[in-house]
Amino acid sequence: MVKVADILSWLDSYAPFRYGASWDNSGLQVGSPAAAADRLLVALEPSSKSLREAVERKCRCLVTHHPLLFHPLSVVCWDTYPGNLVSMAVKEEISLIAVHTNLDAAREGTNEQLSRILGLGSMEPLETEDEWKGEDRYAGMGCVGSLPQPMRLEDFASFAARAVGCTCPRVVGNPDRMIRRIAVCSGSGGSLLDTVIGMNADLYVTGDVKYHEAMRAEEYGLALIDIGHFASERVVVGPLAEYLRSKAVRERVVLEVCTADAEVDPFLILKD
């Protein structure tokens, strides 16, 4: 029988936990390494929706990109978040595992999946840690690559939005500008803005862009497309689930892997 410890080991092979940022909290968040995990759900968020879906689909483990717990809890109150979700997971005997910034920085992780969907080639890392350079599974935080042919910014923004399921991308720059060299950082990429500017990219695709970051990019002649936090990272759920399925086959064990259907972007676009 597959146990949580096996899932943790497989995830560590795919996206080593040591690649995670110092402020992050990836790994087992609720549960026991000895618990059974013969059926699991892969999702972006450890939300009430995802947990309810795990219960309904009889999954004994929930693997998410975002952690439920970032800091130690002084109180676990089951009437307020996040104690309510911890309580629910314990009551339903569902183990919670997060693969966050370690997955962002890994080969075939969040950023590489997004880059491939956007059609980029000749990719190189935006930011790397010296201690992991040269490791087969390490790709660095964020990517920069090129399109096969230049495209108008407006056309590429429309393509990118369709590719990731973003209903309303925010764009900075002249819509008619031709772009080819593109930097990508899934989630919130504002902290890497100066790095992108220094790499002479035409365009930066990320999420959660703030007003002053947009103004700074404009001053440096860098185009921006904000496709949202959810859409930029949800792209990794399917590939991560497929990895776990294939790993179970290689290990000759029975493991049913489901992908979450219930979660959606919390931001709504209101139309007249």
Side-chain angles (χ1 to χ4, degrees):
M1 177 179 290
V2 180
K3 297 187 180 299
V4 169
D6 299 316
I7 304 301
L8 286 166
S9 176
W10 298 352
L11 291 170
D12 191 48
S13 296
Y14 187 74
F17 288 110
R18 64 183 180 275
Y19 293 169
S22 58
W23 51 263
D24 201 7
N25 188 30
S26 294
L28 181 62
Q29 302 229 306
V30 177
S32 166
D38 54 336
R39 185 179 175 93
L40 64 82
L41 181 70
V42 180
L44 180 67
E45 297 290 345
S47 63
S48 55
K49 287 182 180 179
S50 297
L51 263 174
R52 283 195 297 268
E53 185 173 354
V55 172
E56 291 167 2
R57 300 177 75 168
K58 296 180 170 56
C59 294
R60 306 173 78 175
C61 181
L62 175 60
V63 177
T64 63
H65 181 45
H66 291 144
L68 174 62
L69 306 175
F70 275 102
H71 308 289
L73 297 177
S74 57
V75 174
V76 179
C77 178
W78 53 70
D79 294 327
T80 58
Y81 176 88
N84 61 329
L85 300 187
V86 173
S87 173
M88 183 178 179
V90 172
K91 179 181 177 181
E92 299 292 344
E93 298 184 354
I94 297 174
S95 296
L96 304 183
I97 299 173
V99 277
H100 193 208
T101 50
N102 56 310
L103 186 60
D104 291 331
R107 295 285 177 197
E108 301 175 44
T110 319
N111 284 292
E112 286 204 352
Q113 297 296 342
L114 179 58
S115 298
R116 290 172 184 172
I117 286 174
L118 297 179
L120 303 184
S122 303
M123 292 184 294
E124 57 183 290
L126 271 180
E127 189 173 70
T128 60
E129 295 288 342
D130 290 339
E131 61 187 306
W132 301 315
K133 281 183 180 178
E135 290 194 13
D136 291 341
R137 296 302 306 164
Y138 185 67
M141 190 61 68
C143 305
V144 61
S146 298
L147 294 171
Q149 299 293 333
M151 290 181 66
R152 290 176 65 249
L153 174 59
E154 184 176 16
D155 294 336
F156 184 80
S158 297
F159 158 72
R162 290 193 303 271
V164 301
C166 170
T167 56
C168 189
R170 297 190 300 161
V171 180
V172 174
N174 184 340
D176 291 324
R177 175 181 176 179
M178 301 302 292
I179 54 99
R180 186 169 190 178
R181 183 168 167 81
I182 300 173
V184 169
C185 182
S186 61
S188 300
S191 64
L192 294 179
L193 181 61
D194 286 341
T195 300
V196 174
I197 291 170
M199 297 190 77
N200 297 316
D202 302 317
L203 169 67
Y204 187 24
V205 180
T206 187
D208 294 344
V209 175
K210 298 178 181 179
Y211 172 82
H212 290 291
E213 292 166 348
M215 291 297 298
R216 184 171 176 79
E218 187 175 55
E219 288 296 326
Y220 277 92
L222 174 68
L224 287 176
I225 301 177
D226 185 337
I227 56 175
H229 200 121
F230 180 89
S232 71
E233 293 189 327
R234 189 62 167 68
V235 297
V236 82
V237 171
L240 181 58
E242 185 54 39
Y243 162 73
L244 292 171
R245 291 189 194 102
S246 63
K247 182 66 174 176
V249 170
R250 292 196 298 271
E251 296 292 328
R252 298 182 179 180
V253 294
V254 177
L255 173 67
E256 186 167 357
V257 181
C258 308
T259 55
D261 295 326
E263 61 183 2
V264 294
D265 193 327
F267 289 102
L268 301 176
I269 304 301
L270 301 179
K271 299 180 180 180
D272 293 335

